[in-house]
Amino acid sequence: MNVTASAPAKVILTGEHFVVYGEPAVVMAIDCYVHVTVSERLDRAVHIVSDLGISGLYAGNKYSPEKRGPQAENVLRPVNIAAKTVLDLLEKKTGLEIKVDSQIPVAAGLGSSGALAVATVAAVGKLFGTDFSRDELIKLSFDSEKFVHFEPSGIDQTISSSGGVMVYRKGKRPNPIEVKSEIPIVIGNTGVPRKTGDLVNAVRKRLNDFPDVLEPIVHAAGDLSTRAVKALLDGNLKRLGELMSINHGLLSAIGVSNEPLDRLVYAARKAGALGAKLTGAGGGGCMIALSTLEDREKIADAIREAGGATIIAKKTNAGVQVWVNE
Ligand code: PMV
């Protein structure tokens, strides 16, 4: 028997980084997915094959690379951590064969590692007859996310397991919001690699160096997210776009935008985006432009001309899904 789970990527519409300090963020699942397929092995090893052309075998904590050498292990270890968490919880003394197929660019601000962790936990659970609740999925995928992000707020696993749009506040129950309108998004990927944990640490340092200047900005960002929720509920995309652009300015102030991101943000605005901002940790990775349905291609062309790779995406209400193949 083998089992597949799929989990969606996310975009943060407003409030990344500020969410680490207790402010609300607005996050949306998008129709771009990772698929994880698992089956049982008779030995106790975990063998992982990723469509990034990386594969390797874990026997306990010992890693033996197959394709792409030991440094590529960074991509596979979080999968092993998530799988092991479930094996230990369910007291299964068996091995696993895991195959990862992902449409989500890695380390680019779209929550690829959160989606991968959630899908792995859901698939391994189902393989042994357990359907985890949303809360259990979030909790069980945390150690895997910690390996990638050091101190994650939990926003990525939460949205990836539930889908839809939600207001997320660290340590609080997420608040799903029912958004009736389409939220057409054009994603621009700078292709510049970065690590979320490094950026979170850099923001913390800047906040420590300039508390009087930056703390009001943190609170302003929280207020901005509350206004963005109202705009979403009212279906007022023009206002949401304006708030997203202001949010980009606040993210620049805390030091997480850079020239490649700004170039794509300005190209999108010039091409008629309702608003544009970096999304996720910044420092590279992706930006998002809010668009009307008609303007998506025009905005995507402008982003490509400015050097970005593009994904045209929209909201998905589907969170993690899991099914038995045979
Ligand atoms: O870039 P991503 O997808 O890892 O998003 C990070 C979001 C932050 O707010 C910067 C960090 C967090 O854990 O919430």
Side-chain angles (χ1 to χ4, degrees):
M1 168 170 115
N2 70 54
V3 168
T4 301
S6 80
K10 65 93 182 44
V11 291
I12 298 181
L13 294 173
T14 63
E16 52 273 268
H17 283 290
F18 306 109
V19 71
V20 173
Y21 302 93
E23 298 296 337
V26 183
V27 60
M28 177 172 93
I30 54 168
D31 55 347
C32 179
Y33 302 91
V34 61
H35 290 87
V36 176
T37 300
V38 299
S39 58
E40 218 172 329
R41 276 172 73 101
L42 294 177
D43 60 10
R44 292 184 63 179
V46 176
H47 181 231
I48 310 171
V49 179
S50 148
D51 63 344
L52 292 171
I54 303 169
S55 66
L57 187 85
Y58 288 88
N61 269 333
K62 188 178 169 294
Y63 178 69
S64 310
E66 282 175 2
K67 277 198 206 151
R68 294 260 303 272
Q71 66 290 5
E73 199 223 334
N74 267 343
V75 180
L76 302 187
R77 184 168 284 261
V79 182
N80 185 49
I81 294 172
K84 281 280 191 204
T85 305
V86 180
L87 289 177
D88 290 350
L89 177 80
L90 302 179
E91 296 178 354
K92 295 287 168 194
K93 301 196 184 327
T94 179
L96 291 169
E97 198 60 51
I98 303 182
K99 190 166 171 297
V100 178
D101 294 291
S102 185
Q103 306 165 334
I104 313 172
V106 176
L110 302 182
S112 68
S113 58
L116 182 53
V118 163
T120 304
V121 169
V124 178
K126 183 84 177 172
L127 184 68
F128 298 109
T130 303
D131 288 307
F132 290 121
S133 68
R134 296 256 152 88
D135 284 353
E136 286 169 328
L137 287 174
I138 295 164
K139 201 161 139 249
L140 294 170
S141 54
F142 223 85
D143 281 348
S144 170
E145 268 293 83
K146 265 207 237 156
F147 173 78
V148 184
H149 289 340
F150 315 135
E151 205 191 327
S153 66
I155 192 169
D156 288 6
Q157 305 104 286
T158 305
I159 190 67
S160 193
S161 57
S162 313
V165 185
M166 64 172 62
V167 184
Y168 183 81
R169 262 194 129 116
K170 195 173 165 182
K172 300 254 162 66
R173 277 207 86 72
N175 183 10
I177 47 181
E178 205 190 318
V179 177
K180 297 214 175 65
S181 37
E182 291 265 7
I183 311 290
I185 293 285
V186 183
I187 298 168
N189 189 350
T190 60
V192 177
R194 85 293 181 282
K195 269 197 171 154
T196 298
D198 293 346
L199 286 140
V200 170
N201 288 341
V203 170
R204 172 154 296 124
K205 180 171 183 316
R206 199 174 248 203
L207 269 165
N208 281 336
D209 289 348
F210 301 98
D212 296 347
V213 182
L214 294 183
E215 273 163 22
I217 292 183
V218 174
H219 299 310
D223 186 45
L224 185 149
S225 283
T226 306
R227 285 165 201 266
V229 172
K230 181 159 186 335
L232 275 163
L233 291 173
D234 292 346
N236 190 341
L237 295 195
K238 187 167 173 292
R239 194 165 165 83
L240 175 65
E242 253 178 86
L243 289 164
M244 286 168 62
S245 290
I246 298 171
N247 195 176
H248 183 74
L250 302 184
L251 288 163
S252 295
I254 59 167
V256 295
S257 193
N258 60 12
E259 211 187 319
L261 279 165
D262 283 349
R263 213 173 18 243
L264 304 191
V265 162
Y266 282 92
R269 288 183 194 161
K270 225 167 130 188
L274 299 170
K277 64 181 277 290
L278 70 85
T279 192
C286 291
M287 50 71 68
I288 53 174
L290 182 66
S291 170
T292 58
L293 281 173
E294 306 79 64
D295 281 349
R296 288 178 302 179
E297 290 298 340
K298 195 171 74 181
I299 293 167
D301 284 347
I303 291 173
R304 280 193 293 269
E305 238 166 73
T310 53
I311 302 174
I312 291 184
K314 58 179 183 335
K315 164 171 67 81
T316 178
N317 288 325
V320 66
Q321 301 195 56
V322 54
W323 60 91
V324 176
N325 295 305
E326 59 197 57

Short mmCIF file of all heavy atoms in Angstrom, two decimals, residues 49-78:
data_model
loop_
_atom_site.label_atom_id
_atom_site.label_comp_id
_atom_site.label_asym_id
_atom_site.label_seq_id
_atom_site.Cartn_x
_atom_site.Cartn_y
_atom_site.Cartn_z
N VAL A 49 13.41 10.33 -1.81
CA VAL A 49 13.76 10.73 -3.17
C VAL A 49 12.97 12.00 -3.49
O VAL A 49 11.74 12.01 -3.40
CB VAL A 49 13.38 9.63 -4.20
CG1 VAL A 49 13.73 10.07 -5.62
CG2 VAL A 49 14.07 8.32 -3.86
N SER A 50 13.69 13.08 -3.85
CA SER A 50 13.00 14.33 -4.17
C SER A 50 13.11 14.62 -5.66
O SER A 50 14.14 14.31 -6.29
CB SER A 50 13.62 15.47 -3.36
OG SER A 50 13.55 16.67 -4.07
N ASP A 51 12.08 15.23 -6.21
CA ASP A 51 12.12 15.58 -7.64
C ASP A 51 13.09 16.73 -7.92
O ASP A 51 13.25 17.16 -9.06
CB ASP A 51 10.71 15.90 -8.18
CG ASP A 51 10.10 17.11 -7.52
OD1 ASP A 51 10.59 17.54 -6.45
OD2 ASP A 51 9.11 17.65 -8.06
N LEU A 52 13.77 17.23 -6.88
CA LEU A 52 14.84 18.20 -7.10
C LEU A 52 16.12 17.49 -7.55
O LEU A 52 17.18 18.11 -7.70
CB LEU A 52 15.14 18.98 -5.82
CG LEU A 52 14.06 19.93 -5.32
CD1 LEU A 52 14.42 20.45 -3.95
CD2 LEU A 52 13.87 21.09 -6.30
N GLY A 53 16.02 16.15 -7.71
CA GLY A 53 17.19 15.38 -8.12
C GLY A 53 18.09 15.04 -6.94
O GLY A 53 19.29 14.85 -7.10
N ILE A 54 17.49 14.97 -5.75
CA ILE A 54 18.27 14.66 -4.54
C ILE A 54 17.68 13.39 -3.93
O ILE A 54 16.46 13.24 -3.87
CB ILE A 54 18.12 15.79 -3.49
CG1 ILE A 54 18.55 17.12 -4.09
CG2 ILE A 54 18.90 15.49 -2.22
CD1 ILE A 54 18.19 18.32 -3.24
N SER A 55 18.56 12.46 -3.50
CA SER A 55 18.03 11.32 -2.76
C SER A 55 19.07 10.85 -1.76
O SER A 55 20.27 11.11 -1.92
CB SER A 55 17.60 10.20 -3.71
OG SER A 55 18.72 9.68 -4.36
N GLY A 56 18.58 10.17 -0.72
CA GLY A 56 19.48 9.67 0.31
C GLY A 56 18.75 8.77 1.27
O GLY A 56 17.52 8.65 1.23
N LEU A 57 19.54 8.12 2.11
CA LEU A 57 19.00 7.11 3.03
C LEU A 57 19.39 7.45 4.46
O LEU A 57 20.56 7.76 4.73
CB LEU A 57 19.59 5.75 2.64
CG LEU A 57 19.02 4.56 3.38
CD1 LEU A 57 17.74 4.07 2.68
CD2 LEU A 57 20.05 3.43 3.42
N TYR A 58 18.43 7.41 5.36
CA TYR A 58 18.70 7.59 6.79
C TYR A 58 18.57 6.25 7.48
O TYR A 58 17.51 5.61 7.42
CB TYR A 58 17.70 8.55 7.43
CG TYR A 58 17.91 9.98 7.02
CD1 TYR A 58 17.30 10.49 5.89
CD2 TYR A 58 18.74 10.81 7.77
CE1 TYR A 58 17.50 11.81 5.50
CE2 TYR A 58 18.95 12.13 7.39
CZ TYR A 58 18.33 12.61 6.26
OH TYR A 58 18.54 13.90 5.89
N ALA A 59 19.65 5.83 8.17
CA ALA A 59 19.55 4.67 9.04
C ALA A 59 19.75 5.26 10.44
O ALA A 59 20.85 5.68 10.77
CB ALA A 59 20.62 3.66 8.71
N GLY A 60 18.69 5.38 11.21
CA GLY A 60 18.74 6.18 12.44
C GLY A 60 19.03 7.61 12.03
O GLY A 60 18.39 8.14 11.13
N ASN A 61 20.06 8.22 12.65
CA ASN A 61 20.40 9.60 12.26
C ASN A 61 21.52 9.65 11.24
O ASN A 61 21.95 10.72 10.83
CB ASN A 61 20.77 10.42 13.50
CG ASN A 61 19.53 11.08 14.06
OD1 ASN A 61 18.57 11.35 13.32
ND2 ASN A 61 19.54 11.32 15.36
N LYS A 62 22.03 8.46 10.85
CA LYS A 62 23.16 8.43 9.90
C LYS A 62 22.62 8.60 8.47
O LYS A 62 21.74 7.86 8.03
CB LYS A 62 23.90 7.10 10.05
CG LYS A 62 25.18 7.08 9.24
CD LYS A 62 25.92 5.76 9.44
CE LYS A 62 27.04 5.60 8.44
NZ LYS A 62 26.59 5.47 7.05
N TYR A 63 23.19 9.59 7.78
CA TYR A 63 22.72 9.90 6.44
C TYR A 63 23.71 9.39 5.40
O TYR A 63 24.91 9.66 5.50
CB TYR A 63 22.57 11.42 6.28
CG TYR A 63 22.14 11.83 4.89
CD1 TYR A 63 20.87 11.52 4.43
CD2 TYR A 63 23.01 12.52 4.04
CE1 TYR A 63 20.47 11.89 3.15
CE2 TYR A 63 22.62 12.89 2.77
CZ TYR A 63 21.35 12.57 2.33
OH TYR A 63 20.95 12.93 1.07
N SER A 64 23.23 8.66 4.41
CA SER A 64 24.07 8.26 3.28
C SER A 64 23.51 8.88 2.01
O SER A 64 22.41 8.53 1.59
CB SER A 64 24.08 6.74 3.11
OG SER A 64 24.35 6.13 4.33
N PRO A 65 24.24 9.84 1.43
CA PRO A 65 23.74 10.49 0.21
C PRO A 65 23.76 9.53 -0.97
O PRO A 65 24.63 8.66 -1.05
CB PRO A 65 24.71 11.64 -0.01
CG PRO A 65 25.92 11.31 0.77
CD PRO A 65 25.55 10.36 1.84
N GLU A 66 22.79 9.67 -1.87
CA GLU A 66 22.82 8.91 -3.13
C GLU A 66 23.05 9.87 -4.27
O GLU A 66 24.03 9.79 -4.99
CB GLU A 66 21.48 8.20 -3.34
CG GLU A 66 21.32 6.96 -2.49
CD GLU A 66 19.94 6.38 -2.65
OE1 GLU A 66 19.11 6.91 -3.43
OE2 GLU A 66 19.66 5.40 -1.97
N LYS A 67 22.10 10.81 -4.41
CA LYS A 67 22.24 11.80 -5.49
C LYS A 67 22.50 13.16 -4.89
O LYS A 67 21.79 13.60 -3.98
CB LYS A 67 20.94 11.86 -6.29
CG LYS A 67 20.82 10.79 -7.34
CD LYS A 67 19.75 11.17 -8.34
CE LYS A 67 19.15 9.95 -8.98
NZ LYS A 67 17.77 10.14 -9.38
N ARG A 68 23.49 13.86 -5.40
CA ARG A 68 23.82 15.25 -5.07
C ARG A 68 24.55 15.48 -3.75
O ARG A 68 24.50 16.58 -3.20
CB ARG A 68 22.55 16.12 -5.09
CG ARG A 68 21.91 16.30 -6.43
CD ARG A 68 22.27 17.63 -7.08
NE ARG A 68 21.94 18.77 -6.29
CZ ARG A 68 20.78 19.40 -6.28
NH1 ARG A 68 19.80 18.96 -7.03
NH2 ARG A 68 20.59 20.49 -5.56
N GLY A 69 25.24 14.48 -3.21
CA GLY A 69 26.19 14.72 -2.14
C GLY A 69 25.61 15.17 -0.82
O GLY A 69 24.42 15.45 -0.72
N PRO A 70 26.46 15.25 0.23
CA PRO A 70 25.98 15.50 1.60
C PRO A 70 25.34 16.87 1.79
O PRO A 70 24.46 17.04 2.61
CB PRO A 70 27.25 15.40 2.45
CG PRO A 70 28.36 15.01 1.55
CD PRO A 70 27.89 15.04 0.13
N GLN A 71 25.77 17.91 1.03
CA GLN A 71 25.24 19.26 1.29
C GLN A 71 23.74 19.36 0.95
O GLN A 71 23.01 20.15 1.54
CB GLN A 71 26.05 20.38 0.62
CG GLN A 71 26.07 20.44 -0.89
CD GLN A 71 26.84 19.29 -1.56
OE1 GLN A 71 27.31 18.35 -0.93
NE2 GLN A 71 26.94 19.35 -2.87
N ALA A 72 23.28 18.50 0.02
CA ALA A 72 21.87 18.51 -0.35
C ALA A 72 21.00 17.94 0.76
O ALA A 72 19.77 18.02 0.70
CB ALA A 72 21.66 17.72 -1.64
N GLU A 73 21.66 17.40 1.80
CA GLU A 73 20.90 16.78 2.88
C GLU A 73 19.97 17.77 3.58
O GLU A 73 18.93 17.39 4.12
CB GLU A 73 21.87 16.19 3.90
CG GLU A 73 21.19 15.16 4.79
CD GLU A 73 21.58 15.29 6.24
OE1 GLU A 73 22.67 15.80 6.52
OE2 GLU A 73 20.76 14.87 7.07
N ASN A 74 20.34 19.05 3.57
CA ASN A 74 19.50 20.09 4.17
C ASN A 74 18.06 20.02 3.70
O ASN A 74 17.14 20.37 4.43
CB ASN A 74 20.05 21.46 3.75
CG ASN A 74 21.00 21.95 4.79
OD1 ASN A 74 21.00 21.45 5.90
ND2 ASN A 74 21.82 22.93 4.41
N VAL A 75 17.87 19.59 2.45
CA VAL A 75 16.52 19.51 1.89
C VAL A 75 15.79 18.27 2.40
O VAL A 75 14.57 18.28 2.58
CB VAL A 75 16.59 19.51 0.34
CG1 VAL A 75 15.22 19.42 -0.28
CG2 VAL A 75 17.34 20.73 -0.17
N LEU A 76 16.56 17.19 2.63
CA LEU A 76 15.91 15.92 3.00
C LEU A 76 15.72 15.76 4.51
O LEU A 76 14.78 15.11 4.95
CB LEU A 76 16.72 14.73 2.47
CG LEU A 76 16.96 14.67 0.96
CD1 LEU A 76 17.62 13.36 0.58
CD2 LEU A 76 15.66 14.84 0.16
N ARG A 77 16.61 16.35 5.30
CA ARG A 77 16.54 16.11 6.75
C ARG A 77 15.20 16.51 7.37
O ARG A 77 14.65 15.76 8.18
CB ARG A 77 17.70 16.79 7.50
CG ARG A 77 17.70 16.47 8.99
CD ARG A 77 18.96 16.87 9.68
NE ARG A 77 20.05 15.96 9.39
CZ ARG A 77 20.43 14.96 10.21
NH1 ARG A 77 19.82 14.77 11.34
NH2 ARG A 77 21.42 14.18 9.88
N PRO A 78 14.62 17.67 6.99
CA PRO A 78 13.32 18.01 7.58
C PRO A 78 12.25 16.96 7.28
O PRO A 78 11.35 16.74 8.10
CB PRO A 78 12.94 19.34 6.92
CG PRO A 78 14.16 19.84 6.26
CD PRO A 78 15.12 18.72 6.09
#
